[in-house]
Amino acid sequence: DAKTTQPTSMDCAEGRAANLPCNHSTISGNEYVYWYRQIHSQGPQYIIHGLKNNETNEMASLIITEDRKSSTLILPHATLRDTAVYYCIVSYTGANSKLTFGKGITLSVRP
Amino acid sequence: KAGVTQTPRYLIKTRGQQVTLSCSPISGHRSVSWYQQTPGQGLQFLFEYFSETQRNKGNFPGRFSGRQFSNSRSEMNVSTLELGDSALYLCASSGGRSDGYTFGSGTRLTVV
């Protein structure tokens, strides 16, 4: 079973920030938080990951709470092409690594 | 650089047959994982290979098997196909440690 909990869906207006929450209250100390998204019928796309500190890349920002029990993915300026299912996953790395996908959150960006 | 390449993109097989799917990872990536995606069960982990060794395995029957070659290319095989094996099969590769996985576009298998 997935170790994360996400809302089923959310929407936001094009050009606005999209804040996608994720709860992972049972995360272990050496598990990373990964975010992927999947646009219909395509393979999942890696977005960002982090362990403890907040992270930012060209696609998004990841904010992890100090107790690491929850995180938020931020798409700073959502576009219509960001409409997708977003998966929050906690995972070990190395020999124990595997991605356990939950149902994800469907983000709909409206014009 | 080239992404993860999966072949074929589409496949139709008959119940009872077997099928082999191929995955070429990103150059330099030694970890290759396979996932099955169905509307009912979502994305499920099948197995992971690293340097030709299966390192991790999901909860699938023994009809599902895989292997990895010395050039990191991987194949997965499904024997005695069942209707329920119809799915999108995804391959992902990673450069290791905490790197994220890069997924291919998948092979759409239909069993009739």
Side-chain angles (χ1 to χ4, degrees), chain A residues 32 34 36 38 40-50 87 89 91-103, chain B residues 9 31 33 35 37 40-45 48 55-58 88 90 96-106 108:
Chain A
Y32 285 75
Y34 289 86
Y36 287 79
Q38 188 174 27
H40 184 62
S41 296
Q42 299 181 19
Q45 177 189 22
Y46 164 81
I47 301 172
I48 198 168
H49 74 281
Y87 297 97
I89 299 164
S91 175
Y92 293 102
T93 62
N96 293 320
S97 66
K98 68 175 184 179
L99 301 177
T100 301
F101 287 84
K103 296 187 184 301
Chain B
R9 287 297 309 276
S31 170
S33 299
Y35 292 81
Q37 185 171 30
Q41 299 298 319
L43 276 153
Q44 293 185 288
F45 172 76
E48 187 216 4
R55 194 162 65 168
N56 208 345
K57 189 177 189 302
L88 178 66
L90 292 156
R97 299 191 66 81
S98 66
D99 290 350
Y101 282 88
T102 301
F103 283 79
S105 298
R108 174 75 62 183

Coordinates of all heavy atoms in Angstrom, one line a residue, chain A residues 32 34 36 38 40-50 87 89 91-103, chain B residues 9 31 33 35 37 40-45 48 55-58 88 90 96-106 108:
Chain A
Y32 N 13.1 9.2 0.9 CA 12.9 10.4 0.2 C 11.5 10.6 -0.2 O 10.7 9.7 -0.3 CB 13.8 10.4 -1.1 CG 15.2 10.5 -0.9 CD1 16.0 9.5 -0.4 CD2 15.9 11.7 -1.2 CE1 17.4 9.7 -0.2 CE2 17.2 11.9 -1.0 CZ 18.0 10.9 -0.5 OH 19.3 11.0 -0.3
Y34 N 9.3 11.8 -3.3 CA 9.4 12.0 -4.7 C 8.0 12.5 -5.3 O 7.0 12.1 -4.8 CB 9.7 10.7 -5.5 CG 11.1 10.2 -5.3 CD1 11.5 9.4 -4.2 CD2 12.1 10.5 -6.2 CE1 12.8 9.0 -4.0 CE2 13.4 10.0 -6.1 CZ 13.7 9.3 -5.0 OH 15.0 8.8 -4.8
Y36 N 6.0 12.7 -9.0 CA 5.9 12.4 -10.4 C 4.6 12.9 -10.9 O 3.6 13.0 -10.1 CB 6.0 10.9 -10.7 CG 7.4 10.3 -10.5 CD1 7.9 10.0 -9.2 CD2 8.2 10.0 -11.6 CE1 9.1 9.5 -9.0 CE2 9.5 9.5 -11.4 CZ 9.9 9.2 -10.1 OH 11.2 8.7 -9.9
Q38 N 1.7 12.2 -14.4 CA 1.4 11.4 -15.5 C 0.3 12.1 -16.3 O -0.8 12.3 -15.8 CB 1.0 10.0 -15.1 CG 0.9 9.1 -16.3 CD 0.6 7.6 -15.9 OE1 0.0 7.4 -14.9 NE2 1.0 6.7 -16.8
H40 N -2.2 11.8 -19.5 CA -2.9 10.7 -20.0 C -2.2 9.9 -21.0 O -1.7 10.4 -22.0 CB -4.2 11.2 -20.6 CG -5.1 10.1 -21.1 ND1 -5.6 9.1 -20.2 CD2 -5.5 9.7 -22.3 CE1 -6.4 8.3 -20.9 NE2 -6.3 8.6 -22.2
S41 N -2.0 8.6 -20.7 CA -1.5 7.6 -21.6 C 0.0 7.7 -21.8 O 0.6 7.0 -22.7 CB -2.2 7.6 -23.0 OG -3.5 7.2 -22.9
Q42 N 0.7 8.6 -21.1 CA 2.1 8.7 -21.2 C 2.8 8.1 -19.9 O 2.1 7.8 -18.9 CB 2.6 10.1 -21.3 CG 2.1 10.8 -22.5 CD 2.5 12.3 -22.6 OE1 3.5 12.7 -21.9 NE2 1.9 13.1 -23.4
G43 N 4.1 7.8 -20.0 CA 4.7 7.3 -18.8 C 4.9 8.4 -17.8 O 4.9 9.6 -18.1
P44 N 4.9 8.1 -16.5 CA 5.1 9.1 -15.5 C 6.4 9.9 -15.7 O 7.4 9.4 -16.2 CB 5.2 8.3 -14.2 CG 4.5 7.0 -14.5 CD 4.8 6.8 -15.9
Q45 N 6.3 11.2 -15.3 CA 7.4 12.1 -15.5 C 7.9 12.5 -14.1 O 7.2 13.0 -13.3 CB 7.0 13.3 -16.3 CG 8.1 14.4 -16.5 CD 7.5 15.7 -17.1 OE1 6.4 16.0 -17.0 NE2 8.4 16.4 -17.7
Y46 N 9.2 12.4 -13.9 CA 9.8 12.8 -12.6 C 9.8 14.3 -12.5 O 10.0 15.0 -13.5 CB 11.3 12.4 -12.6 CG 12.1 13.0 -11.5 CD1 12.1 12.6 -10.2 CD2 13.0 14.1 -11.9 CE1 12.8 13.3 -9.2 CE2 13.7 14.7 -10.9 CZ 13.6 14.3 -9.6 OH 14.4 15.0 -8.6
I47 N 9.4 14.8 -11.4 CA 9.3 16.3 -11.2 C 10.4 16.7 -10.2 O 11.3 17.6 -10.6 CB 8.0 16.7 -10.6 CG1 6.8 16.3 -11.5 CG2 7.9 18.2 -10.4 CD1 5.4 16.5 -10.9
I48 N 10.4 16.2 -9.0 CA 11.4 16.7 -8.0 C 11.4 15.7 -6.9 O 10.5 14.8 -6.7 CB 10.9 18.1 -7.5 CG1 12.0 18.8 -6.8 CG2 9.7 18.0 -6.7 CD1 11.7 20.3 -6.6
H49 N 12.4 15.7 -6.1 CA 12.5 14.9 -4.8 C 13.3 15.6 -3.8 O 14.1 16.5 -4.1 CB 13.0 13.5 -5.1 CG 14.5 13.5 -5.3 ND1 15.1 13.8 -6.5 CD2 15.5 13.1 -4.5 CE1 16.4 13.6 -6.4 NE2 16.7 13.2 -5.2
G50 N 13.1 15.2 -2.5 CA 13.8 15.8 -1.4 C 13.8 14.8 -0.2 O 13.0 13.9 -0.1
Y87 N 1.6 12.3 -8.5 CA 1.8 11.2 -7.5 C 2.9 11.7 -6.5 O 4.0 12.1 -6.9 CB 2.3 9.9 -8.1 CG 1.3 9.3 -9.1 CD1 1.4 9.5 -10.5 CD2 0.3 8.5 -8.6 CE1 0.5 8.9 -11.3 CE2 -0.6 7.9 -9.5 CZ -0.5 8.1 -10.8 OH -1.4 7.5 -11.7
I89 N 5.3 10.2 -3.6 CA 5.7 8.8 -3.3 C 6.9 9.0 -2.3 O 7.7 9.9 -2.4 CB 6.3 8.1 -4.5 CG1 5.1 8.0 -5.6 CG2 6.9 6.7 -4.2 CD1 5.6 7.6 -6.9
S91 N 10.1 6.8 -0.8 CA 10.9 5.7 -1.2 C 12.3 5.7 -0.7 O 12.9 6.7 -0.6 CB 10.9 5.6 -2.8 OG 11.7 4.6 -3.2
Y92 N 12.8 4.5 -0.4 CA 14.2 4.3 -0.1 C 14.9 4.4 -1.4 O 14.4 4.4 -2.5 CB 14.5 2.9 0.5 CG 13.9 2.7 1.8 CD1 12.7 2.0 2.0 CD2 14.5 3.3 3.0 CE1 12.2 1.8 3.3 CE2 13.9 3.1 4.2 CZ 12.8 2.3 4.4 OH 12.2 2.1 5.6
T93 N 16.2 4.5 -1.4 CA 17.1 4.5 -2.5 C 17.9 3.3 -2.5 O 18.0 2.5 -1.5 CB 18.0 5.8 -2.6 OG1 18.8 5.8 -1.5 CG2 17.1 7.0 -2.6
G94 N 18.7 3.0 -3.5 CA 19.6 1.9 -3.6 C 18.8 0.6 -3.6 O 17.8 0.4 -4.3
A95 N 19.3 -0.4 -2.8 CA 18.8 -1.8 -2.9 C 17.4 -1.9 -2.6 O 16.7 -2.9 -3.0 CB 19.7 -2.7 -2.1
N96 N 16.8 -1.1 -1.8 CA 15.4 -1.2 -1.4 C 14.5 -0.2 -2.1 O 13.4 0.0 -1.7 CB 15.3 -0.9 0.1 CG 16.0 -1.9 1.0 OD1 15.9 -3.1 0.7 ND2 16.7 -1.5 2.0
S97 N 15.0 0.3 -3.2 CA 14.2 1.3 -3.9 C 13.1 0.7 -4.7 O 13.3 -0.3 -5.4 CB 15.1 2.2 -4.8 OG 15.6 1.4 -5.8
K98 N 11.9 1.2 -4.6 CA 10.8 0.9 -5.6 C 9.8 2.0 -5.3 O 9.8 2.6 -4.3 CB 10.2 -0.4 -5.3 CG 9.4 -0.6 -4.0 CD 8.7 -1.9 -4.0 CE 7.9 -2.1 -2.7 NZ 7.2 -3.4 -2.7
L99 N 9.1 2.3 -6.3 CA 8.1 3.4 -6.3 C 6.7 2.7 -6.0 O 6.3 1.9 -6.9 CB 8.1 4.2 -7.5 CG 9.4 4.9 -7.9 CD1 9.3 5.6 -9.2 CD2 9.8 5.9 -6.8
T100 N 6.1 3.0 -4.9 CA 4.7 2.5 -4.7 C 3.8 3.7 -4.9 O 3.7 4.6 -4.2 CB 4.6 2.1 -3.2 OG1 5.6 1.0 -3.0 CG2 3.2 1.5 -3.0
F101 N 3.1 3.6 -6.1 CA 2.2 4.6 -6.5 C 0.8 4.4 -5.8 O 0.3 3.3 -5.8 CB 2.0 4.6 -8.0 CG 3.1 5.0 -8.8 CD1 4.2 4.2 -9.1 CD2 3.2 6.3 -9.3 CE1 5.3 4.6 -9.8 CE2 4.3 6.8 -10.1 CZ 5.3 5.9 -10.3
G102 N 0.3 5.5 -5.3 CA -1.1 5.6 -4.9 C -2.0 6.0 -6.0 O -1.6 5.8 -7.2
K103 N -3.1 6.6 -5.7 CA -4.0 7.0 -6.8 C -3.7 8.4 -7.3 O -4.1 8.8 -8.3 CB -5.5 7.0 -6.2 CG -6.0 5.6 -5.9 CD -7.4 5.6 -5.6 CE -7.9 4.2 -5.1 NZ -7.6 3.2 -6.2
Chain B
R9 N 5.6 -0.6 -29.0 CA 4.6 0.3 -28.4 C 3.3 -0.4 -28.1 O 2.6 -0.1 -27.1 CB 4.4 1.5 -29.2 CG 5.6 2.5 -29.3 CD 5.9 3.1 -27.9 NE 4.7 3.6 -27.2 CZ 4.3 4.9 -27.4 NH1 4.9 5.7 -28.3 NH2 3.2 5.3 -26.8
S31 N 20.2 0.9 -13.3 CA 19.0 0.4 -12.6 C 17.8 0.5 -13.5 O 17.5 1.5 -14.1 CB 18.7 1.2 -11.3 OG 17.4 0.9 -10.8
S33 N 13.6 -0.7 -13.8 CA 12.5 -1.2 -13.1 C 11.3 -1.3 -14.1 O 11.3 -0.6 -15.1 CB 12.0 -0.2 -12.0 OG 13.0 0.0 -11.0
Y35 N 7.0 -1.7 -14.3 CA 5.7 -1.4 -13.7 C 4.5 -1.8 -14.6 O 4.7 -1.7 -15.8 CB 5.5 0.1 -13.3 CG 6.5 0.5 -12.2 CD1 7.8 0.9 -12.5 CD2 6.1 0.6 -10.9 CE1 8.7 1.3 -11.6 CE2 6.9 1.0 -9.9 CZ 8.2 1.3 -10.2 OH 9.1 1.7 -9.3
Q37 N 0.5 -1.0 -15.3 CA -0.6 0.0 -15.0 C -1.9 -0.5 -15.7 O -2.0 -0.7 -16.9 CB -0.2 1.4 -15.6 CG -1.3 2.4 -15.2 CD -0.9 3.9 -15.5 OE1 -0.1 4.1 -16.4 NE2 -1.3 4.8 -14.7
G40 N -7.9 -0.5 -13.0 CA -8.4 -1.0 -11.7 C -7.3 -0.9 -10.6 O -7.6 -0.6 -9.5
Q41 N -6.1 -1.3 -10.9 CA -5.1 -1.4 -9.9 C -4.0 -0.3 -9.9 O -3.2 -0.1 -9.0 CB -4.3 -2.7 -10.0 CG -5.2 -4.0 -9.9 CD -5.8 -4.1 -8.5 OE1 -5.1 -3.8 -7.5 NE2 -7.0 -4.4 -8.4
G42 N -4.1 0.6 -10.9 CA -3.2 1.7 -11.0 C -1.8 1.2 -11.4 O -1.6 0.1 -12.0
L43 N -0.8 1.9 -10.9 CA 0.6 1.6 -11.2 C 1.2 0.6 -10.2 O 1.2 1.0 -9.0 CB 1.5 2.8 -11.3 CG 1.5 3.6 -12.6 CD1 1.8 5.1 -12.3 CD2 2.6 3.0 -13.5
Q44 N 1.6 -0.5 -10.6 CA 2.1 -1.5 -9.6 C 3.6 -1.9 -10.0 O 3.8 -2.2 -11.2 CB 1.2 -2.7 -9.6 CG -0.1 -2.4 -9.0 CD -0.9 -3.7 -8.8 OE1 -1.4 -4.3 -9.8 NE2 -1.1 -4.2 -7.6
F45 N 4.4 -2.0 -9.0 CA 5.8 -2.4 -9.2 C 5.9 -3.9 -9.5 O 5.4 -4.7 -8.8 CB 6.6 -2.0 -7.9 CG 8.0 -2.5 -7.9 CD1 9.0 -1.9 -8.6 CD2 8.3 -3.6 -7.1 CE1 10.3 -2.3 -8.6 CE2 9.7 -4.0 -7.1 CZ 10.6 -3.4 -7.8
E48 N 12.8 -4.9 -10.1 CA 13.9 -4.0 -10.4 C 15.2 -4.8 -10.6 O 15.5 -5.7 -9.9 CB 14.2 -3.0 -9.3 CG 15.2 -1.9 -9.7 CD 16.1 -1.4 -8.5 OE1 15.9 -2.0 -7.4 OE2 16.9 -0.5 -8.8
R55 N 17.0 -7.0 -8.0 CA 17.3 -6.5 -6.6 C 16.0 -6.4 -5.8 O 16.0 -6.3 -4.6 CB 17.9 -5.1 -6.8 CG 18.6 -4.5 -5.6 CD 19.5 -3.4 -5.9 NE 19.0 -2.3 -6.5 CZ 19.6 -1.1 -6.7 NH1 20.9 -1.0 -6.2 NH2 19.0 -0.1 -7.2
N56 N 14.9 -6.3 -6.4 CA 13.6 -6.1 -5.7 C 12.5 -6.7 -6.6 O 12.6 -6.7 -7.8 CB 13.4 -4.6 -5.5 CG 12.6 -4.3 -4.3 OD1 11.9 -5.2 -3.7 ND2 12.6 -3.1 -3.8
K57 N 11.5 -7.2 -6.0 CA 10.4 -7.8 -6.7 C 9.0 -7.5 -6.1 O 8.9 -7.5 -4.8 CB 10.6 -9.4 -6.7 CG 9.6 -10.1 -7.6 CD 10.0 -11.6 -7.6 CE 9.2 -12.4 -8.7 NZ 7.7 -12.2 -8.5
G58 N 8.1 -7.2 -6.9 CA 6.7 -7.0 -6.4 C 5.9 -8.2 -6.3 O 6.4 -9.3 -6.4
L88 N -0.8 -1.4 -19.5 CA 0.4 -0.6 -20.0 C 1.6 -1.0 -19.2 O 1.5 -0.9 -17.9 CB 0.1 0.9 -19.9 CG 1.2 1.8 -20.3 CD1 1.4 1.7 -21.8 CD2 0.9 3.3 -19.9
L90 N 5.3 -0.4 -18.1 CA 6.3 0.8 -18.1 C 7.6 0.3 -17.6 O 7.7 -0.4 -16.6 CB 5.7 1.9 -17.3 CG 4.5 2.6 -17.8 CD1 3.7 3.3 -16.7 CD2 4.9 3.6 -18.9
G96 N 20.9 5.8 -10.2 CA 21.3 5.3 -8.9 C 21.2 6.3 -7.8 O 20.8 7.4 -8.0
R97 N 21.5 5.8 -6.6 CA 21.4 6.6 -5.4 C 20.0 7.2 -5.2 O 19.0 6.6 -5.4 CB 22.6 7.6 -5.2 CG 23.9 6.9 -5.2 CD 25.0 7.8 -4.8 NE 24.9 8.2 -3.4 CZ 25.3 7.5 -2.4 NH1 25.8 6.3 -2.6 NH2 25.1 8.0 -1.2
S98 N 19.9 8.5 -5.1 CA 18.6 9.1 -4.9 C 18.1 9.7 -6.1 O 17.1 10.4 -6.1 CB 18.7 10.2 -3.8 OG 19.6 11.3 -4.2
D99 N 18.7 9.5 -7.3 CA 18.2 10.0 -8.5 C 16.7 9.5 -8.8 O 16.4 8.4 -8.4 CB 19.0 9.6 -9.7 CG 20.4 10.2 -9.7 OD1 20.6 11.2 -8.9 OD2 21.2 9.8 -10.5
G100 N 16.0 10.4 -9.4 CA 14.6 10.0 -9.8 C 14.7 9.0 -10.9 O 15.7 8.8 -11.6
Y101 N 13.6 8.4 -11.2 CA 13.5 7.4 -12.3 C 12.9 8.1 -13.6 O 12.1 9.0 -13.5 CB 12.5 6.3 -12.0 CG 13.1 5.2 -11.1 CD1 13.1 5.4 -9.7 CD2 13.8 4.1 -11.6 CE1 13.7 4.4 -8.9 CE2 14.4 3.2 -10.8 CZ 14.3 3.3 -9.4 OH 14.9 2.4 -8.6
T102 N 13.5 7.8 -14.7 CA 13.0 8.3 -16.0 C 12.2 7.1 -16.6 O 12.7 6.0 -16.8 CB 14.1 8.7 -16.9 OG1 14.8 9.8 -16.3 CG2 13.5 9.2 -18.2
F103 N 10.9 7.4 -16.9 CA 10.1 6.3 -17.5 C 10.1 6.4 -19.0 O 10.2 7.5 -19.6 CB 8.6 6.5 -17.0 CG 8.4 6.0 -15.6 CD1 8.8 6.8 -14.5 CD2 7.8 4.8 -15.4 CE1 8.6 6.3 -13.2 CE2 7.6 4.3 -14.1 CZ 8.0 5.1 -13.0
G104 N 9.8 5.2 -19.6 CA 9.6 5.2 -21.0 C 8.1 5.4 -21.3 O 7.3 5.7 -20.4
S105 N 7.7 5.4 -22.6 CA 6.4 5.6 -23.0 C 5.5 4.4 -22.8 O 4.3 4.5 -22.9 CB 6.3 6.1 -24.4 OG 7.0 7.3 -24.6
G106 N 6.1 3.3 -22.6 CA 5.3 2.1 -22.2 C 5.0 1.2 -23.4 O 5.1 1.6 -24.6
R108 N 1.8 -1.0 -24.7 CA 0.4 -1.3 -24.4 C 0.1 -2.8 -24.9 O 0.1 -3.0 -26.1 CB -0.5 -0.4 -25.2 CG -2.0 -0.6 -25.1 CD -2.6 -0.3 -23.8 NE -2.5 1.1 -23.5 CZ -2.9 1.7 -22.4 NH1 -3.5 1.0 -21.4 NH2 -2.8 3.0 -22.2

